[in-house]
Amino acid sequence: MVDVSDRRGDAPEASVFDSDTGCVPDGRARWRAALSDRWSVRAGVPNGGYLLATCVRALAGELPFPDPIAVSGHFLRPGRVGEAELATQVLRAGRRMAVADCLLSQDEQRALRVVATFADLGNPAGRTRLRNSPPELPAPERCVSATSGIELGGASIAEQVEIRFAELPAWRLGRSDDVADVAYWMRFADGRPTDVLALPLLVDAAPPVVWEIGEATSVTVELTVHVRARPAAGWLACRSRTRHRMSGYHEEDAEIWDSGGVLVAQSRQLAIV
Amino acid sequence: MVDVSDRRGDAPEASVFDSDTGCVPDGRARWRAALSDRWSVRAGVPNGGYLLATCVRALAGELPFPDPIAVSGHFLRPGRVGEAELATQVLRAGRRMAVADCLLSQDEQRALRVVATFADLGNPAGRTRLRNSPPELPAPERCVSATSGIELGGASIAEQVEIRFAELPAWRLGRSDDVADVAYWMRFADGRPTDVLALPLLVDAAPPVVWEIGEATSVTVELTVHVRARPAAGWLACRSRTRHRMSGYHEEDAEIWDSGGVLVAQSRQLAIV
């Protein structure tokens, strides 16, 4: 844990992320959360990764391992800012990993089904072999924000997650590119260090990469995140890519690498254009 | 549907896949299946994709849409050949898609949690943009089986799914390669045409690609399949790849392209070495 006050000024008592994903026990295997308006993709509609991370927080409270190595979320309907109820079920707690599911509802309408496998990534062992590397980006201070100085239109998540590109993305320049493949730096705006619980949000926190190829919207059907390592402090180097846009659906693949050059999360989502 | 008798000799009354994934209703939202010994990866242990496809069959019986566009399975313990009970729950049936989950148990021990989103891929609309293409392979008749003439050691799945490589993979030659990236043809050995219900099995039916880099085992933690289109009849062109082997875990990505050059399924699994 780094002392964020050294880096970013005032150290918040609790980070925005921690307070906004906080789940309060509400009986056995039940939790309550208040979905905040600070992680929205448009007015009143919270980001899907924020909902996913809230479910992961509840599950972390139920399971004996710290690291959500595989988290799958199937979206049933869009969430909305306000109260949410989370019903959890531990499916198996084994010696090496544990699996549980969570159903997030609002006003008794089911919004998100999550299944998560937790394990312990604290003592990594075994060989490492990579056929990939972090994106190459200029230093963050030489990169640009895609959202500073523009009207966010209710996309409040852009105020919580700082994202910097080597150059302005195509959608920001009002043009459409041939390729949906972008690299960028990312971190929490309030200086909260990234941890494994934040990764299910962060893999979904950048603007949809299909904006690069001229698609205006992207609604997540399913999102799976694999947490591969515990992130070191500092900026995250990220990559998002869509290779197959077919029949009204596309996948978005994301990678997050930490400041030590370690792949910390890999995700794929299926989304509707 | 093609007439398989034209292509492969005797047309089976029911294919091995259909009979071995058949689920019998057992009350409301409950099904029974008999896991066969014909899809095993080693003696008595059925392939994970076979378990997944069995759950998808049960869910197809509950939902008003035909195509399982997103299927996530979290493995709780290895399955075994024999009776299985499947408990399903419809989470949402909307106008455009429906979501349900399934819990597969054997002797009251939970083995697999599946969540699936179904939709209708029958009338594909919208633009197609691909930044990828099917693997280039010599014609199937000029390719080789990796398992013909060797002792299968209980890996009966190799008798049900025909797989042909351009040349024998590294593991088959007793050596270890630097890269875990293989291409191959695939089809059911009994001539059953591939359909969307078979894809959750087929994405997991090839030998683990980490065998190429000298790893002896691969145990699936989580497997997500996105079905992107309904497959045309004929051989499937497939690709499997592992890029990140870290801390005892690796991901395996698979793609399946049909004989018309259409991407029909994309999958990723997180597995333990």
Side-chain angles (χ1 to χ4, degrees):
Chain A
M1 191 67 87
V2 301
D3 180 355
V4 295
S5 63
D6 284 351
R7 292 198 302 134
R8 310 293 308 281
D10 296 322
E13 279 298 304
S15 78
V16 181
F17 174 78
D18 290 316
S19 59
D20 287 354
T21 56
C23 293
V24 178
D26 186 29
R28 189 175 143 73
R30 296 192 67 84
W31 302 77
R32 277 181 298 109
L35 298 181
S36 135
D37 63 359
R38 293 189 280 198
W39 306 89
S40 295
V41 293
R42 59 180 197 275
V45 181
N47 168 258
Y50 167 51
L51 267 60
L52 195 65
T54 303
C55 291
V56 169
R57 278 290 291 276
L59 293 174
E62 304 273 6
L63 295 175
F65 298 104
D67 303 305
I69 60 169
V71 178
S72 307
H74 288 247
F75 291 82
L76 310 175
R77 48 169 66 79
R80 49 173 190 70
V81 169
E83 290 292 313
E85 306 82 48
L86 295 86
T88 59
Q89 177 181 207
V90 177
L91 298 166
R92 179 162 197 225
R95 273 188 312 113
R96 188 168 168 179
M97 44 187 76
V99 185
D101 56 28
C102 179
L103 187 58
L104 184 147
S105 303
Q106 295 189 279
D107 281 335
E108 304 192 357
Q109 291 215 305
R110 294 163 174 163
L112 173 60
R113 164 59 102 195
V114 173
V115 187
T117 300
F118 279 63
D120 189 335
L121 296 174
N123 291 299
R127 285 193 294 165
T128 293
R129 292 178 83 147
L130 301 184
R131 302 292 298 185
N132 193 13
S133 49
E136 291 189 17
L137 285 160
E141 52 274 18
R142 289 195 289 125
C143 288
V144 294
S145 159
T147 49
S148 70
I150 62 169
E151 179 54 57
L152 291 178
S156 56
I157 190 171
E159 292 168 2
Q160 302 304 332
V161 181
E162 245 186 290
I163 294 175
R164 295 201 194 162
F165 297 88
E167 50 194 50
L168 285 178
W171 62 265
R172 183 67 175 74
L173 300 168
R175 52 182 184 78
S176 164
D177 208 338
D178 278 342
V179 183
D181 193 338
V182 295
Y184 49 94
W185 295 108
M186 187 160 55
R187 67 176 176 184
F188 281 116
D190 69 358
R192 181 194 188 278
T194 307
D195 62 11
V196 293
L197 298 181
L199 293 169
L201 162 69
L202 294 176
V203 293
D204 193 41
V209 69
V210 289
W211 284 8
E212 290 298 285
I213 54 173
E215 303 295 348
T217 57
S218 176
V219 178
T220 306
V221 173
E222 189 274 335
L223 168 58
T224 293
V225 189
H226 294 157
V227 170
R228 305 297 301 267
R230 296 184 184 165
W235 281 97
L236 303 164
C238 310
R239 186 182 280 134
S240 298
R241 183 169 70 155
T242 292
R243 289 188 303 159
H244 313 93
R245 185 229 178 290
M246 295 166 56
S247 312
Y249 297 91
H250 64 277
E251 89 286 356
E252 178 172 315
D253 288 348
E255 297 169 6
I256 299 184
W257 301 74
D258 75 5
S259 57
V262 173
L263 178 74
V264 295
Q266 210 179 1
S267 72
R268 176 173 294 157
Q269 61 179 279
L270 184 73
I272 305 173
V273 185
Chain B
M1 191 66 88
V2 301
D3 180 354
V4 295
S5 63
D6 284 353
R7 292 197 302 134
R8 311 293 308 281
D10 296 322
E13 281 298 305
S15 78
V16 181
F17 174 78
D18 290 318
S19 60
D20 287 354
T21 55
C23 294
V24 178
D26 186 28
R28 188 175 144 71
R30 296 192 65 86
W31 302 77
R32 277 181 297 110
L35 299 181
S36 135
D37 62 0
R38 295 189 280 198
W39 306 89
S40 295
V41 293
R42 56 180 199 276
V45 180
N47 169 258
Y50 168 50
L51 266 60
L52 195 65
T54 304
C55 291
V56 169
R57 279 290 290 276
L59 293 174
E62 305 272 7
L63 295 176
F65 299 104
D67 303 305
I69 60 168
V71 178
S72 308
H74 287 248
F75 290 83
L76 310 175
R77 48 169 66 79
R80 51 174 189 67
V81 170
E83 290 292 313
E85 305 83 46
L86 295 86
T88 58
Q89 178 182 206
V90 177
L91 297 167
R92 179 162 198 223
R95 272 189 313 114
R96 189 168 167 180
M97 45 187 76
V99 185
D101 56 27
C102 178
L103 186 59
L104 183 148
S105 304
Q106 295 188 280
D107 281 335
E108 304 191 356
Q109 293 215 303
R110 294 162 174 164
L112 173 60
R113 164 59 103 194
V114 173
V115 186
T117 299
F118 279 62
D120 189 334
L121 296 174
N123 291 300
R127 284 193 295 165
T128 292
R129 290 179 84 147
L130 301 183
R131 301 293 297 186
N132 193 15
S133 51
E136 292 189 17
L137 284 159
E141 50 276 17
R142 289 194 288 124
C143 288
V144 294
S145 159
T147 49
S148 70
I150 62 169
E151 178 55 56
L152 291 178
S156 57
I157 190 171
E159 292 168 2
Q160 302 304 331
V161 181
E162 246 187 290
I163 294 175
R164 296 201 195 161
F165 297 88
E167 50 193 49
L168 286 178
W171 62 265
R172 184 66 175 74
L173 299 168
R175 52 183 184 76
S176 165
D177 209 337
D178 278 342
V179 183
D181 193 337
V182 295
Y184 50 92
W185 295 108
M186 187 159 56
R187 66 176 176 184
F188 281 117
D190 69 357
R192 181 194 188 279
T194 307
D195 63 11
V196 294
L197 298 182
L199 292 170
L201 163 69
L202 294 177
V203 294
D204 193 41
V209 69
V210 288
W211 285 7
E212 290 299 283
I213 54 173
E215 304 295 348
T217 57
S218 176
V219 178
T220 307
V221 173
E222 189 274 335
L223 168 58
T224 293
V225 190
H226 294 158
V227 170
R228 304 297 300 267
R230 296 184 185 165
W235 282 97
L236 303 164
C238 311
R239 186 182 281 133
S240 299
R241 184 169 71 153
T242 292
R243 289 188 304 159
H244 314 92
R245 184 231 180 288
M246 295 166 56
S247 314
Y249 297 92
H250 64 276
E251 89 286 355
E252 179 172 315
D253 288 348
E255 296 168 9
I256 299 184
W257 301 75
D258 75 6
S259 57
V262 173
L263 178 74
V264 294
Q266 211 180 0
S267 71
R268 176 172 292 157
Q269 62 179 278
L270 184 72
I272 305 173
V273 184

